[in-house]
């Protein structure tokens, strides 16, 4: 076993132990907060697909370069970089802020004035990955309708960061939107959201939260089961939120995104000039 495999084995052992402890601690909770049923989803750390599921996306970030057959480094509105202006984020995403090495993907945010192609100057630059397009008129690399999605992520400890693992429609317009994990103004509590259009056309959303936990201390596994009749969120293999109202559940193809945004909802303090988000792996299963 080489050093990288040994390191990954140790991480998986730690995650498995954490999962067992969490499941024991939550055994008395109700369905919305209890451990997931084994028959509903594949095991979070399963090495091969089960009879009921097939593995349709798997990236361990081996090698030294991002797999551009699976990932692009911007949103669908990519033009020499991009940002999400709807959130008033402080960063302009650039490919050079995305790196692969030692079996990990790293997204690096840096305090550096960066000229965007929208004629604005951003005080930060950062990195993101998406299974979407290279430009507005292109075809997305990968889209998914239903399945089980998970990523092992270590978020940064610095204040003012907005790390997220989420899904947006291949149509390029939201809602719907599924946020598998977000950290807003805290590193100790993860937020989970689903966004949808209400009867009057206005955006509505439902939020779940789990914490406190020291999420920057190590990798944690964030998962989502998306089926026509339910959405179920997991943190380290333990169910933390369930939605069964079918009006809230998306039924359109969606792209997978992981990003390190900056300045939502608070700007970083002057003492913070850089931050890094690490991703050990991404998996997507779908039913056979």
């Amino acid at each position: 076993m080489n050093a990288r495999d040994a390191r990954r084995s140790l991480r998986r052992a730690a995650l498995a132990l954490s999962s067992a402890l969490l499941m024991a601690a939550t055994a008395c909770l109700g369905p919305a907060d209890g451990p997931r049923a084994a028959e509903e989803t594949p095991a979070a750390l399963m090495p091969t697909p089960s009879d009921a599921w097939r593995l349709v996306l798997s990236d361990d970030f081996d090698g030294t370069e991002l797999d551009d057959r699976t990932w692009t480094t911007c949103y669908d509105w990519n033009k020499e970089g991009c940002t999400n202006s709807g959130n008033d984020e402080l960063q302009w995403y650039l490919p050079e802020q995305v790196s692969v090495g030692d079996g990990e993907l790293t997204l690096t945010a840096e305090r550096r004035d960066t000229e965007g192609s929208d004629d604005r100057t951003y005080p930060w630059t950062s990195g993101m990955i998406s299974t979407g397009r290279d430009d507005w008129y292109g075809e997305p690399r990968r889209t998914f309708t239903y399945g089980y999605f998970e990523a092992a992520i270590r978020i940064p400890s610095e204040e003012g960061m907005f790390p997220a693992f989420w899904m947006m429609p291949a149509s390029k317009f939201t809602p719907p939107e599924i946020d598998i994990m977000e950290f807003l103004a805290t590193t100790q509590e993860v937020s989970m959201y689903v966004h949808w259009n209400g009867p009057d056309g206005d955006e509505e959303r439902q939020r779940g939260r789990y914490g406190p936990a020291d999420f920057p201390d190590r990798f944690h596994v964030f998962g989502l089961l998306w089926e026509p009749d339910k959405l179920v969120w997991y943190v380290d293999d333990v169910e933390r939120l369930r939605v069964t109202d079918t009006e809230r559940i998306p039924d359109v193809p969606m792209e997978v995104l992981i990003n390190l945004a900056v300045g939502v909802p608070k700007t970083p303090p002057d003492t913070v000039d850089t931050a890094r988000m690490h991703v050990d792996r991404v998996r997507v299963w779908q039913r056979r």
Side-chain angles (χ1 to χ4, degrees), residues 9-20:
S9 295
L10 288 171
R11 286 181 191 150
R12 291 182 176 179
L15 287 169
L17 176 60
S18 172
S19 175

Side-chain angles (χ1 to χ4, degrees), residues 36-260:
R36 72 186 184 195
E39 68 274 13
E40 286 189 344
T41 65
L45 303 178
M46 76 179 202
T48 58
S50 70
D51 291 339
W53 295 85
R54 58 192 178 97
L55 188 63
V56 297
L57 188 157
S58 178
D59 199 337
D60 289 322
F61 302 107
D62 295 319
T64 58
E65 295 182 353
L66 190 69
D67 182 357
D68 61 10
R69 298 167 298 178
T70 301
W71 306 105
T72 184
T73 54
C74 237
Y75 291 114
D76 292 332
W77 47 91
N78 175 25
K79 185 180 178 183
E80 299 176 5
C82 61
T83 193
N84 188 341
S85 58
N87 287 338
D88 294 323
E89 296 171 5
L90 299 180
Q91 83 293 328
W92 184 257
Y93 290 118
L94 289 174
E96 55 262 36
Q97 303 306 115
V98 179
S99 61
V100 174
D102 295 325
E104 296 177 5
L105 167 81
T106 302
L107 306 179
T108 301
E110 293 182 282
R111 187 189 295 273
R112 185 175 77 233
D113 285 350
T114 305
E115 297 294 329
S117 56
D118 58 358
D119 297 326
R120 291 181 56 193
T121 298
Y122 292 81
W124 284 76
T125 185
S126 191
M128 66 168 289
I129 59 170
S130 165
T131 64
R133 303 164 173 83
D134 283 326
D135 63 76
W136 184 260
Y137 300 102
E139 291 295 322
R141 285 161 170 75
R142 301 291 300 275
T143 63
F144 308 91
T145 307
Y146 310 126
Y148 178 73
F149 306 79
E150 74 168 31
I153 298 172
R154 185 174 184 176
I155 67 166
S157 60
E158 289 80 8
E159 295 180 48
M161 300 298 126
F162 179 30
F165 169 35
W166 59 294
M167 304 182 70
M168 63 173 282
S171 67
K172 301 171 283 194
F173 298 100
T174 61
E177 175 182 324
I178 306 173
D179 301 314
I180 303 172
M181 75 81 162
E182 290 183 339
F183 285 86
L184 295 158
T186 178
T187 61
Q188 305 299 301
E189 181 181 81
V190 60
S191 292
M192 302 154 279
Y193 284 96
V194 60
H195 303 248
W196 70 94
N197 279 318
D200 56 2
D202 291 337
E203 180 176 342
E204 299 185 18
R205 63 185 180 179
Q206 181 173 342
R207 180 188 189 187
R209 293 178 287 185
Y210 168 67
D214 188 9
F215 286 99
D217 73 330
R218 61 180 176 85
F219 283 88
H220 292 264
V221 178
F222 303 95
L224 171 80
L225 174 66
W226 170 26
E227 298 201 297
D229 60 347
K230 60 180 172 288
L231 291 167
V232 189
W233 285 257
Y234 305 93
V235 179
D236 293 331
D237 213 19
V238 179
E239 182 178 328
R240 293 300 175 186
L241 173 67
R242 179 178 291 250
V243 173
T244 57
D245 183 344
T246 55
E247 293 184 358
R248 304 181 180 190
I249 298 173
D251 61 355
V252 298
M254 304 188 86
E255 303 166 2
V256 174
L257 305 97
I258 299 177
N259 60 269
L260 179 55

